[in-house]
Amino acid sequence: MRIVGLTGGISSGKSTVSNLFKANDVPVVDADIIARDVLKKGTGGWKKVVAAFGEDILLPNGEVDRSKLGQIVFSDSSKRQLLNGLLAPYISLGIFMEVLKLWIKGCKVIVLDVPLLFEAKMDKWTKPIVVVWVDPDTQLQRLMARDRTSEEDARNRINAQMPLDIKRNNADIVINNTGTLDDLNEQVRKVLFEIKRPLNWTEFWLSRQGALSALVSVVVGVLIFRKVS
């Protein structure tokens, strides 16, 4: 199984690239979706976060007010680290379970869409690593336009993340998303060709097909050994 790491920064266009992968029948495990699920009312993640940040972050229906929580953690690095630490075990387990489901289905190539791929040290489990990059000015303007937020708030949110240039330097594949949507589509097409190439031997043996092949080989070997004996 080939596990492709996909990451980027806020307003870099990572979600657009992720959707393009899905549209081309590449399974995507989305860490953002898992993070939302582990923070639903009554879950273990919800209980941990409410205990740490108080009931002031809750909506009238008891769900977490994500906007309010976001304002708190984006303006305070210690609280952001606290939140990440509380949710990391639940998110990691959720990602593992989704990957396991796809492995059982026999998927040969999957994409892990993880905003904190490097920060969470999950890059060591993925190859290749795809980073969606934009220049700082473009990132800032897109974020302000998308969220209708002030420049100060947008800069705080961008600065709360690992700089895109550092992520780009650690990437195997870089998608430059400063151009048009057509430019992006063309780059994604090339990336699809790269990640869909035949599995190498290591990836094959880690796939369900490889595991079954190994099992069959062992069974056949045992049967031959018994017959000879």
Side-chain angles (χ1 to χ4, degrees):
M1 175 183 258
R2 176 174 296 136
I3 303 178
V4 180
L6 174 65
T7 192
I10 190 169
S11 288
S12 68
K14 177 184 63 63
S15 295
T16 302
V17 172
S18 183
N19 288 331
L20 289 172
F21 282 142
K22 293 175 187 176
N24 283 275
D25 300 320
V26 177
V28 175
V29 176
D30 192 329
D32 280 340
I33 293 177
I34 294 171
R36 286 195 288 270
D37 288 341
V38 303
L39 202 52
K40 287 182 177 178
K41 182 180 177 180
T43 61
W46 179 89
K47 293 175 182 177
K48 293 271 190 180
V49 170
V50 173
F53 291 89
E55 295 186 359
D56 288 342
I57 63 168
L58 297 179
L59 294 167
N61 63 3
E63 295 289 351
V64 172
D65 186 333
R66 298 177 186 278
S67 177
K68 191 170 187 178
L69 181 60
Q71 290 176 352
I72 294 172
V73 299
F74 277 121
S75 60
D76 189 325
S77 61
S78 63
K79 291 181 179 179
R80 185 167 63 252
Q81 291 174 1
L82 173 61
L83 178 65
N84 290 338
L86 292 173
L87 295 182
Y90 299 99
I91 295 173
S92 296
L93 178 60
I95 290 174
F96 173 78
M97 294 305 297
E98 291 301 312
V99 171
L100 180 60
K101 290 176 186 177
L102 293 171
W103 183 87
I104 292 172
K105 288 181 179 180
C107 296
K108 294 181 179 179
V109 178
I110 67 170
V111 171
L112 289 191
D113 178 352
V114 185
L116 302 180
L117 185 74
F118 293 108
E119 296 90 332
K121 310 299 182 186
M122 297 187 69
D123 54 301
K124 66 181 72 174
W125 305 111
T126 61
K127 189 72 175 181
I129 296 170
V130 180
V131 169
V132 184
W133 179 91
V134 291
D135 64 80
D137 288 339
T138 300
Q139 184 181 23
L140 178 64
Q141 294 304 319
R142 287 180 179 175
L143 180 57
M144 291 172 61
R146 188 192 72 181
D147 292 355
R148 300 176 182 273
T149 188
S150 67
E151 180 175 340
E152 180 182 3
D153 183 55
R155 287 190 184 279
N156 285 337
R157 297 180 69 183
I158 291 172
N159 292 334
Q161 299 183 334
M162 178 185 290
L164 272 175
D165 284 346
I166 293 179
K167 293 185 178 184
R168 178 179 61 177
N169 292 339
N170 287 281
D172 298 301
I173 301 172
V174 176
I175 295 178
N176 186 333
N177 190 28
T178 56
T180 65
L181 184 58
D182 287 339
D183 294 333
L184 181 63
N185 278 313
E186 177 61 21
Q187 291 182 77
V188 171
R189 185 187 65 79
K190 294 177 180 177
V191 173
L192 284 166
F193 178 80
E194 175 67 19
I195 68 174
K196 286 185 175 182
R197 72 186 191 283
L199 302 183
N200 60 40
W201 281 110
T202 300
E203 293 167 332
F204 173 74
W205 290 118
L206 289 175
S207 68
R208 188 190 70 172
Q209 292 85 348
L212 291 175
S213 297
L215 179 60
V216 169
S217 297
V218 170
V219 172
V220 170
V222 170
L223 292 175
I224 292 175
F225 176 77
R226 285 185 174 180
K227 185 173 181 181
V228 171
S229 300

